[in-house]
């Protein structure tokens, strides 16, 4: 039984399903999952509470939060540096910062494509927040990011299964930019792939648009227009991702990679095909 | 400081954001959130682990899972019956079963509109699962279900704020069917509302379609076609929900209810309007 | 020359084209058609007038109306029980009621997928009525219901052609639920089929939504919103059906089954292919 | 009680609902309807059978068919020239031919916008036929043609109600071209009106495209491509008509003109408004 | 080095790119291009100025303008009748007029599918004008007209390359109606081709609609509604053209005919295929 | 009579209509336009030929080309530095480079939103090139860029009208980034504006995507996929721009600024409104 712990500080698009991707029908044997989350907040004090999960003694943990360089995630990492820990976040993106993470023993998957929400009272309420996360998830799922997570976590899980543990585990060090993500998406039609890749580029652009809305602009019209623009961009990206998948459906060429009960990654492409070992 | 605990067993559409809806920009003072989740699994043994969260001693807990009548959620409830606990689920829907929950001291919000996923290896992989959850969230967010949750949890939080606690807290007892949900959505255009309501009816229908795929059908073609049909239905519902919100945007009449720093529910409708106390 | 009589009481979606489906280009030899209809009304007195058509002495008659259990259709059936008669309607759906029809010598095709219109002065005018029927026909045509009718009527016609008559004719006894209809649609792409099937499920759901609008609700807002919801649901179903057919067009795999001059069902799939006997 | 007889020879788009437009919820008192139809065929022999309906002695008849100048409709008219009779068709469109109709005592509504179907075995089967009729009806309903029919038939009915009969009835003489139809549609938004008008122009163009497919072209590729083009044109027209109505819905400005029980044309525009006498 | 001169009088849809179609990536050797244009105006005086380009002494010229029978284009032709000159326009369409052009030594490509804009102050501003041209170009590019121009100009260029010149050059004489254009589009899917052909028919219809708006109607409502209708028709045509190309993309069957550096027309169909000589 | 000369070197999206924006219906008095273009090429030798236009002695010239820092445009500028000259291009964007332009006496409008095409033989042919330009023009027209050009050129024209000339003319110095452009678009609905702004951001992103396709990547799959991605991004941007304008149409709030015969900028918003002086 491999024990995978998830620590969620604040919220990213990927936070919504990250603990589900290894066991999509809840029937996988030999894997056990626990999640400890702090809800929307991710300050230093809140982050401290994540230590709670150590009681369960996971084989490795996945720590997901926006901006892994912020004080909260940073201090949480310090608490967990005695465990194999994979940082999943939208930053830091700079090479040196990522190297520092790696040098400190952490794995990381930095997703530049997980979009920054327009987090201002003037624009965001619970409904808009959830609707934006839905759009984000449409791109993340369809365009390869979910599968990248699934494959990487499965790879670490497999190591544990084989008897490795602690510092011996090889953790992923991935800067998940559009080009890298799209290769995991398994598109068969090249235009569908191009649409998916365009959607990822658009998702990446959202942060650029929303950044000033969140941190610089003050006037209500500026804040509201800019945040609305970021969310329209995300909406358009989601729509393009949908279009990409519809092409694959129309060709009956949707690549699927479900887990068998034993946790093997099966594969199938035609809808009426049985999933097969590869 | 009100302490709200979330226990997540398995996954519903609403599980993705339920711990975020009271504090959408992570700036609300006076509220603290912790989440303890078990990932995809929700069997009895797994459910037992949720007791962990008692260490934090929340003022009340929200326990979300599919089918609250299943053994896992049931035994989790027994562990938590000394805390004010709101059950959020897609069932039981029968009056007697809900009354029994209430009689046992639990609050509940039973969402018949949170759709059942097509959970079969023959169809579902991590990507399809996440994409389906995106569609579910589009309907849940836009058509009133997210706001219903937000308002109900805020109402209980307000009671704690006012000094109430334990058994004195009035918990919600709501069967969230389409008609009830749509009234919370705040649509101003009646056709947008009708589209939203139609989307909720479609989401409700998904369970009916997916049930045999999940539990009865055996042949690969039957399973795959039926699950695909359920997911197409959900996709169409999401698209209708999107259309509904686009109408409100086109009329600049999107109702928004963001929280102030103090946790007050502000309101605004025109995009360039400041959120106001009501 | 086979003589097929159509009796139309009130209106169903299928009423619009039922007398045309066996002879789509009006060039089929050996078949003759007469229609006697009562317009929108279907009460007992009006129904009595259908006897008029007996003067023509058809080989068999098709009697189409909403709710075949209503007094009008019932009394019309009594008038025609000396002729081979196929009841086409949206009800009764219960097994016993259908068995009673069969025991009384009637054939039947009960289409649970022919949607109930929102027939209230507060909502429906001639334009809305016609527009709804257009949406209904889009689903009925594309998703297998029209072909089911065509094939079943052709089958009875063929028996007459072979010399059978009266009580010797084997009449169809079909409960046309979504699953049964979709199998007649001839979709080649499985996702198109899933979309078509989802559209049929949505059409089935319309009655459930419109029923209270038609018979229970009283307040103008309730009536109008609910009927509008039913029509939005039908609109969305039509759109999904359109999408399904577009997939087949995109694959140049639209199955077609035109009649030859002699009334033989030819078949073709590629657009530039000649229709062939099978 | 006004008795309105409908004679249907062959099929036009409008044939599908013409007998329903005066009594959309089947609750209008003081009007009685009978339909006698000949199915797809409209040759001279078949047309003769329409005399059957005289037994009912209608106050006036509406005779609908493609091309009213064809032998079948022509001979049917001769049989019915002792009754007030309104010819509804897609031709003749020339002034002299229409004047001849009027001189012979007939009313007429010639709808250049009721599209010619691509009636060739190489392309059309029952499904395609019904699907095309659905598209035709979407334009006819939404863009003013259905209302034009409703208003004109109501006007003649009102004369009978007032005691007029036979040759004293003033019958309509209308060449229903796009511009004339759109004025009946009741659009409030001018761009919606422009879209509706464009849709009518497109529907008018269909005949021009399908004419050679039906009567001139011989090669399978030519026939199939051309008929498919006509049907794509109709499909696009339907989509534009849908778009036009969606604009009115988004503005809550859909004009509706339902009949009261007494047959009065009520009016309403906002969805939650009660229909009113004007 | 072949020298191709373009004279642009006023503006057609095709004017936007006509000088670019032979050298789409600006890397073709052996061809040189100059454009002399008069902006929006095309009166006689303005037209005279085009003689300026003679200084460059092109091998042949392409003279593009609306209505080649108007005084401006006519007098420009007289100035250029000592050069091989291909007239590109939307008229004259009549056989005699075209023959007269040919007899006078001109080549011509008369595109009935290049739509007439709604050129009235009451409707058109720079934005609407440019937006309409975008829609026109979508149809012209996707549905074969751009390729027709490219191929015909390449053919004349090839003759110069081979040493021909002046009156020895064989110039095209083409009435570019929908059917002729679509054959150049290179669609592989027949329904995509039908959509493209329908779009061309719609574009042809625009002139018919806009003509009265431009030259007959006076009342603001008539002018504005009619011009808006013409532009909606063009918008719908563009959308249909887009849909047609999307089908080809979904099948990875987009036909492409790029020029090699040497000016050879290469061909490719699959996206990942290298362009090849044929 | 103000004489405005346009020099076009190579092609930008805006090149297609820049000489038309001041005189959209070709009826403006007091303004005369000449265009001298070099087709696709813009190398130094070709650029030299633009001097030809000096014979006409324009009051000012507008020189449009991609990348104004390239050798061709640079040398063309040197030839024209004795005329008031406005450089319109997609670069240089850096402040110093723009200052240098200004210091040398040039006006400039640098449009970061005019997208870089995927100019590779492996992907681009005449059809794809024209189709991309159509998408570019949809964004440029609808989202404020065309109007910015129109207003700025009108402003310089007005100065000439008032008697200014040569170095006394105040030329524009504008870095046309998304935020600046959208303010010229005249959107009334804030969500339409947000969509338009998002479309401009997407158009800006195209260059970033296509740059490596044009200049770095070598493998056919990399080149083709990347260029296709850039074009999909542009397609999605066009679609969003269309959506934005549809909202304004649905609200009958499309801002229009046509020129009167005298060249005055009139304004209107409702479709049936007469354009008025402001």
């Amino acid at each position: 039984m491999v024990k995978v712990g998830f620590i969620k500080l604040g919220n990213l698009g990927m936070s919504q399903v990250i603990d589900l991707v290894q066991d999509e029908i809840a029937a996988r044997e030999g894997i056990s999952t626990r999640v400890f989350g702090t809800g929307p907040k991710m300050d230093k004090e809140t982050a401290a509470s994540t230590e709670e999960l150590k009681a369960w003694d996971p084989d490795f943990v996945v720590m997901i939060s926006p901006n892994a360089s912020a004080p909260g995630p940073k201090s949480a990492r310090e608490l967990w540096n005695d465990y194999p820990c994979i940082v999943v976040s939208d930053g830091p993106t700079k090479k040196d910062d990522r190297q520092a993470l790696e040098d400190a023993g952490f794995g990381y998957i930095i997703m530049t494509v997980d979009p920054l929400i327009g987090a201002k009272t003037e624009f965001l309420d619970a409904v808009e927040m959830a609707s934006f996360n839905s759009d984000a998830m449409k791109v993340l799922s369809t365009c390869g990011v979910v599968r990248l997570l699934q494959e990487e976590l499965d790879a670490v899980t497999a190591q544990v299964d084989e008897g490795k543990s602690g510092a011996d585990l090889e953790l992923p060090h991935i800067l998940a930019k559009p080009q890298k993500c799209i290769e995991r998406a398994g598109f068969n039609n090249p235009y569908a792939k191009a649409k998916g890749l365009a959607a990822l580029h658009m998702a990446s652009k959202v942060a650029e648009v929303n950044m000033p809305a969140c941190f610089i602009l003050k006037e209500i019209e500026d804040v509201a227009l800019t945040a609305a623009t970021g969310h329209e961009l995300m909406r358009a990206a989601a729509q393009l991702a949908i279009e990409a998948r519809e092409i694959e459906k129309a060709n009956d060429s949707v690549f699927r990679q479900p887990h068998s009960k034993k946790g093997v990654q099966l594969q199938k492409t035609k809808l009426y095909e049985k999933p097969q070992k590869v």
Side-chain angles (χ1 to χ4, degrees), chain A:
Chain A
M1 179 68 68
V2 182
K3 295 163 78 177
V4 189
F6 291 87
I7 295 165
K8 300 185 179 178
L9 298 160
N11 186 59
L12 271 190
M14 186 56 75
S15 307
Q16 302 175 87
V17 299
I18 196 169
D19 52 305
L20 307 169
V21 300
Q22 294 186 270
D23 188 10
E24 63 277 358
I25 63 166
R28 181 171 173 180
E29 297 165 354
I31 192 166
S32 186
T33 306
R34 291 295 179 276
V35 181
F36 188 91
T38 63
K41 301 274 185 18
M42 51 180 269
D43 54 274
K44 231 169 139 173
E45 294 67 37
T46 307
S49 68
T50 65
E51 216 172 353
E52 201 82 29
L53 194 58
K54 285 196 180 172
W56 186 56
D57 194 26
D59 290 304
F60 67 96
V61 296
V62 178
M63 186 180 290
I64 185 165
S65 75
N67 189 5
S69 305
K74 220 165 156 179
S75 80
R77 274 201 302 282
E78 282 160 24
L79 292 173
W80 282 90
N81 65 3
D82 50 344
Y83 275 81
C85 173
I86 305 164
V87 172
V88 178
S89 188
D90 55 355
T93 55
K94 288 202 189 140
K95 203 171 176 181
D96 288 354
D97 295 338
R98 289 183 284 120
Q99 188 61 47
L101 273 178
E102 185 169 351
D103 293 347
F106 295 101
Y108 65 79
I109 300 173
I110 303 295
M111 309 172 295
T112 64
V113 297
D114 200 315
L116 176 70
I117 202 167
K120 296 287 281 192
T121 309
E122 290 86 345
F123 179 67
L124 203 75
D125 69 350
V127 172
E128 182 76 39
M129 176 274 294
S131 176
F132 178 85
N133 272 296
S134 160
D135 286 335
M137 185 43 61
K138 192 52 87 176
V139 173
L140 297 173
S141 61
T142 303
C143 302
V145 199
V146 160
R147 186 167 289 119
L148 185 148
L149 264 293
Q150 172 240 309
E151 291 176 347
E152 296 302 324
L153 299 190
D154 274 353
V156 180
T157 301
Q159 294 175 49
V160 180
D161 250 348
E162 291 159 7
K164 277 199 190 171
S165 70
D168 289 343
L169 289 175
E170 278 181 57
L171 304 180
H173 299 97
I174 297 177
L175 181 64
K177 298 179 78 171
Q179 190 62 45
K180 188 153 287 174
C181 296
I182 201 66
E183 294 305 329
R184 305 286 183 113
F187 283 110
N188 280 296
N189 176 281
Y191 292 96
K193 191 175 178 181
K195 284 176 200 286
L197 183 47
L200 289 165
H201 280 297
M202 288 158 72
S204 302
K205 182 89 183 176
V206 172
E208 227 174 286
V209 173
N210 272 347
M211 196 70 77
C214 290
F215 302 116
I216 300 174
L217 300 169
K218 296 289 170 206
E219 295 302 311
I220 170 78
E221 292 211 7
D222 293 341
V223 168
L225 175 65
T226 308
T229 300
H231 284 218
E232 288 300 331
L233 196 46
M234 196 61 235
R235 180 87 273 289
Q239 215 58 40
L240 201 53
I242 288 166
E243 213 182 294
R245 195 163 174 91
E246 289 297 321
I247 288 176
E248 295 290 342
K249 289 195 219 162
N251 290 330
D252 193 13
S253 64
V254 180
F255 176 73
R256 296 172 192 273
Q257 201 174 34
H259 294 93
S260 74
K261 271 203 170 176
K262 303 288 181 200
V264 179
Q265 287 176 23
L266 307 174
Q267 294 193 349
K268 62 174 283 188
T269 295
K270 292 188 154 296
L271 182 60
Y272 292 160
E273 196 173 71
K274 282 205 182 158
Q276 305 284 351
K277 271 192 206 178
V278 267

Short mmCIF file of all heavy atoms in Angstrom, two decimals, chain A residues 118-150:
data_model
loop_
_atom_site.label_atom_id
_atom_site.label_comp_id
_atom_site.label_asym_id
_atom_site.label_seq_id
_atom_site.Cartn_x
_atom_site.Cartn_y
_atom_site.Cartn_z
N GLY A 118 -8.64 36.43 -11.10
CA GLY A 118 -8.79 37.87 -10.87
C GLY A 118 -9.35 38.15 -9.48
O GLY A 118 -10.52 38.50 -9.34
N ALA A 119 -8.49 38.02 -8.50
CA ALA A 119 -8.94 37.95 -7.11
C ALA A 119 -9.16 39.32 -6.48
O ALA A 119 -8.36 39.77 -5.65
CB ALA A 119 -7.94 37.14 -6.29
N LYS A 120 -10.20 39.98 -6.88
CA LYS A 120 -10.53 41.28 -6.30
C LYS A 120 -12.01 41.34 -5.93
O LYS A 120 -12.87 40.91 -6.71
CB LYS A 120 -10.24 42.38 -7.35
CG LYS A 120 -8.78 42.49 -7.75
CD LYS A 120 -7.92 43.12 -6.67
CE LYS A 120 -8.08 44.62 -6.66
NZ LYS A 120 -7.03 45.26 -5.80
N THR A 121 -12.29 41.88 -4.77
CA THR A 121 -13.67 42.02 -4.31
C THR A 121 -14.55 42.70 -5.35
O THR A 121 -15.74 42.42 -5.46
CB THR A 121 -13.72 42.86 -3.02
OG1 THR A 121 -12.78 42.32 -2.11
CG2 THR A 121 -15.10 42.86 -2.42
N GLU A 122 -13.96 43.60 -6.11
CA GLU A 122 -14.74 44.33 -7.11
C GLU A 122 -15.23 43.43 -8.23
O GLU A 122 -16.08 43.83 -9.04
CB GLU A 122 -13.86 45.44 -7.73
CG GLU A 122 -13.53 46.58 -6.81
CD GLU A 122 -12.30 46.31 -5.94
OE1 GLU A 122 -11.88 45.13 -5.86
OE2 GLU A 122 -11.76 47.25 -5.37
N PHE A 123 -14.69 42.24 -8.34
CA PHE A 123 -15.05 41.39 -9.46
C PHE A 123 -15.45 39.98 -9.04
O PHE A 123 -16.38 39.39 -9.56
CB PHE A 123 -13.87 41.32 -10.44
CG PHE A 123 -14.12 40.44 -11.62
CD1 PHE A 123 -15.08 40.80 -12.57
CD2 PHE A 123 -13.42 39.26 -11.81
CE1 PHE A 123 -15.33 40.00 -13.67
CE2 PHE A 123 -13.67 38.45 -12.92
CZ PHE A 123 -14.62 38.82 -13.85
N LEU A 124 -14.70 39.43 -8.12
CA LEU A 124 -14.82 38.00 -7.84
C LEU A 124 -15.79 37.73 -6.69
O LEU A 124 -15.66 38.30 -5.62
CB LEU A 124 -13.44 37.45 -7.45
CG LEU A 124 -13.25 35.95 -7.66
CD1 LEU A 124 -13.07 35.64 -9.13
CD2 LEU A 124 -12.06 35.44 -6.88
N ASP A 125 -16.72 36.86 -6.93
CA ASP A 125 -17.48 36.29 -5.83
C ASP A 125 -17.37 34.77 -5.96
O ASP A 125 -16.63 34.27 -6.83
CB ASP A 125 -18.94 36.76 -5.83
CG ASP A 125 -19.75 36.23 -6.99
OD1 ASP A 125 -19.16 35.63 -7.92
OD2 ASP A 125 -20.98 36.41 -6.99
N ALA A 126 -18.04 34.04 -5.10
CA ALA A 126 -17.89 32.58 -5.11
C ALA A 126 -18.27 31.99 -6.47
O ALA A 126 -17.63 31.05 -6.95
CB ALA A 126 -18.75 31.96 -4.00
N VAL A 127 -19.29 32.54 -7.09
CA VAL A 127 -19.77 32.01 -8.36
C VAL A 127 -18.73 32.23 -9.46
O VAL A 127 -18.38 31.30 -10.20
CB VAL A 127 -21.11 32.65 -8.74
CG1 VAL A 127 -21.52 32.26 -10.16
CG2 VAL A 127 -22.19 32.29 -7.74
N GLU A 128 -18.24 33.45 -9.57
CA GLU A 128 -17.23 33.75 -10.59
C GLU A 128 -15.96 32.92 -10.34
O GLU A 128 -15.33 32.44 -11.29
CB GLU A 128 -16.89 35.25 -10.55
CG GLU A 128 -15.90 35.72 -11.59
CD GLU A 128 -16.48 35.84 -13.00
OE1 GLU A 128 -17.64 36.29 -13.13
OE2 GLU A 128 -15.79 35.47 -13.97
N MET A 129 -15.60 32.77 -9.10
CA MET A 129 -14.41 31.99 -8.74
C MET A 129 -14.57 30.54 -9.22
O MET A 129 -13.68 29.97 -9.86
CB MET A 129 -14.21 32.05 -7.21
CG MET A 129 -13.08 31.22 -6.65
SD MET A 129 -13.55 29.48 -6.29
CE MET A 129 -14.75 29.69 -4.96
N ALA A 130 -15.71 29.95 -8.92
CA ALA A 130 -15.93 28.55 -9.29
C ALA A 130 -16.04 28.40 -10.80
O ALA A 130 -15.54 27.43 -11.38
CB ALA A 130 -17.19 28.03 -8.60
N SER A 131 -16.67 29.37 -11.44
CA SER A 131 -16.82 29.32 -12.90
C SER A 131 -15.46 29.43 -13.59
O SER A 131 -15.18 28.74 -14.58
CB SER A 131 -17.75 30.44 -13.35
OG SER A 131 -17.85 30.48 -14.75
N PHE A 132 -14.59 30.29 -13.06
CA PHE A 132 -13.24 30.42 -13.59
C PHE A 132 -12.47 29.12 -13.41
O PHE A 132 -11.74 28.67 -14.30
CB PHE A 132 -12.52 31.57 -12.88
CG PHE A 132 -11.09 31.76 -13.31
CD1 PHE A 132 -10.79 32.53 -14.42
CD2 PHE A 132 -10.04 31.20 -12.61
CE1 PHE A 132 -9.47 32.74 -14.83
CE2 PHE A 132 -8.72 31.38 -13.00
CZ PHE A 132 -8.43 32.16 -14.12
N ASN A 133 -12.61 28.52 -12.26
CA ASN A 133 -11.92 27.25 -12.01
C ASN A 133 -12.41 26.16 -12.96
O ASN A 133 -11.63 25.29 -13.37
CB ASN A 133 -12.09 26.82 -10.55
CG ASN A 133 -11.01 27.42 -9.66
OD1 ASN A 133 -9.84 27.11 -9.83
ND2 ASN A 133 -11.39 28.31 -8.76
N SER A 134 -13.68 26.21 -13.32
CA SER A 134 -14.21 25.27 -14.30
C SER A 134 -13.51 25.46 -15.65
O SER A 134 -13.11 24.49 -16.30
CB SER A 134 -15.72 25.48 -14.46
OG SER A 134 -16.17 24.93 -15.67
N ASP A 135 -13.35 26.71 -16.06
CA ASP A 135 -12.66 26.99 -17.33
C ASP A 135 -11.20 26.54 -17.27
O ASP A 135 -10.68 25.95 -18.23
CB ASP A 135 -12.75 28.48 -17.67
CG ASP A 135 -14.14 28.88 -18.13
OD1 ASP A 135 -14.87 28.00 -18.63
OD2 ASP A 135 -14.50 30.06 -18.01
N ALA A 136 -10.58 26.84 -16.16
CA ALA A 136 -9.18 26.43 -15.99
C ALA A 136 -9.07 24.91 -16.12
O ALA A 136 -8.20 24.38 -16.82
CB ALA A 136 -8.65 26.89 -14.64
N MET A 137 -9.97 24.20 -15.43
CA MET A 137 -9.91 22.73 -15.43
C MET A 137 -10.15 22.17 -16.84
O MET A 137 -9.59 21.14 -17.20
CB MET A 137 -10.93 22.17 -14.44
CG MET A 137 -10.85 20.64 -14.27
SD MET A 137 -9.17 19.97 -14.14
CE MET A 137 -8.61 20.81 -12.66
N LYS A 138 -10.97 22.87 -17.62
CA LYS A 138 -11.21 22.38 -18.99
C LYS A 138 -9.91 22.37 -19.78
O LYS A 138 -9.60 21.41 -20.49
CB LYS A 138 -12.28 23.24 -19.66
CG LYS A 138 -12.82 22.69 -20.94
CD LYS A 138 -13.31 21.25 -20.84
CE LYS A 138 -14.75 21.13 -20.38
NZ LYS A 138 -15.20 19.71 -20.38
N VAL A 139 -9.12 23.40 -19.64
CA VAL A 139 -7.84 23.45 -20.35
C VAL A 139 -6.85 22.47 -19.73
O VAL A 139 -6.17 21.71 -20.44
CB VAL A 139 -7.27 24.88 -20.35
CG1 VAL A 139 -5.86 24.90 -20.93
CG2 VAL A 139 -8.18 25.81 -21.15
N LEU A 140 -6.77 22.49 -18.42
CA LEU A 140 -5.80 21.61 -17.74
C LEU A 140 -6.06 20.14 -18.05
O LEU A 140 -5.12 19.36 -18.26
CB LEU A 140 -5.84 21.85 -16.23
CG LEU A 140 -5.44 23.25 -15.76
CD1 LEU A 140 -5.68 23.40 -14.26
CD2 LEU A 140 -3.97 23.55 -16.08
N SER A 141 -7.34 19.77 -18.10
CA SER A 141 -7.66 18.36 -18.33
C SER A 141 -7.42 17.97 -19.79
O SER A 141 -6.78 16.96 -20.08
CB SER A 141 -9.12 18.09 -17.96
OG SER A 141 -10.01 18.86 -18.74
N THR A 142 -7.92 18.77 -20.69
CA THR A 142 -7.94 18.38 -22.09
C THR A 142 -6.58 18.54 -22.77
O THR A 142 -6.28 17.87 -23.75
CB THR A 142 -8.99 19.23 -22.84
OG1 THR A 142 -10.25 19.05 -22.20
CG2 THR A 142 -9.11 18.85 -24.27
N CYS A 143 -5.77 19.45 -22.25
CA CYS A 143 -4.55 19.83 -22.98
C CYS A 143 -3.27 19.26 -22.37
O CYS A 143 -2.18 19.77 -22.62
CB CYS A 143 -4.48 21.35 -23.10
SG CYS A 143 -5.91 22.05 -23.94
N GLY A 144 -3.40 18.23 -21.56
CA GLY A 144 -2.22 17.49 -21.18
C GLY A 144 -1.70 17.69 -19.77
O GLY A 144 -0.85 16.93 -19.30
N VAL A 145 -2.18 18.70 -19.05
CA VAL A 145 -1.61 19.00 -17.74
C VAL A 145 -2.04 17.97 -16.71
O VAL A 145 -1.23 17.50 -15.90
CB VAL A 145 -1.98 20.43 -17.29
CG1 VAL A 145 -1.02 20.88 -16.21
CG2 VAL A 145 -1.95 21.40 -18.48
N VAL A 146 -3.31 17.60 -16.76
CA VAL A 146 -3.78 16.57 -15.84
C VAL A 146 -3.02 15.27 -16.08
O VAL A 146 -2.60 14.60 -15.14
CB VAL A 146 -5.31 16.35 -15.99
CG1 VAL A 146 -5.73 15.00 -15.44
CG2 VAL A 146 -6.07 17.48 -15.28
N ARG A 147 -2.84 14.93 -17.34
CA ARG A 147 -2.13 13.67 -17.60
C ARG A 147 -0.67 13.73 -17.17
O ARG A 147 -0.13 12.77 -16.64
CB ARG A 147 -2.23 13.24 -19.06
CG ARG A 147 -1.61 11.86 -19.25
CD ARG A 147 -1.92 11.20 -20.56
NE ARG A 147 -3.29 10.77 -20.66
CZ ARG A 147 -4.15 11.20 -21.57
NH1 ARG A 147 -3.77 12.09 -22.45
NH2 ARG A 147 -5.39 10.75 -21.60
N LEU A 148 -0.06 14.87 -17.37
CA LEU A 148 1.32 15.04 -16.90
C LEU A 148 1.39 14.78 -15.40
O LEU A 148 2.26 14.03 -14.92
CB LEU A 148 1.80 16.46 -17.22
CG LEU A 148 3.25 16.81 -16.92
CD1 LEU A 148 3.77 17.83 -17.93
CD2 LEU A 148 3.47 17.34 -15.51
N LEU A 149 0.48 15.36 -14.65
CA LEU A 149 0.46 15.12 -13.20
C LEU A 149 0.26 13.65 -12.90
O LEU A 149 0.95 13.06 -12.06
CB LEU A 149 -0.66 15.95 -12.55
CG LEU A 149 -0.29 17.29 -11.95
CD1 LEU A 149 0.60 17.10 -10.71
CD2 LEU A 149 0.36 18.23 -12.93
N GLN A 150 -0.73 13.08 -13.59
CA GLN A 150 -1.05 11.68 -13.35
C GLN A 150 0.17 10.79 -13.61
O GLN A 150 0.52 9.93 -12.79
CB GLN A 150 -2.22 11.27 -14.25
CG GLN A 150 -2.55 9.78 -14.24
CD GLN A 150 -2.41 9.19 -15.62
OE1 GLN A 150 -2.98 9.70 -16.60
NE2 GLN A 150 -1.68 8.08 -15.71
#
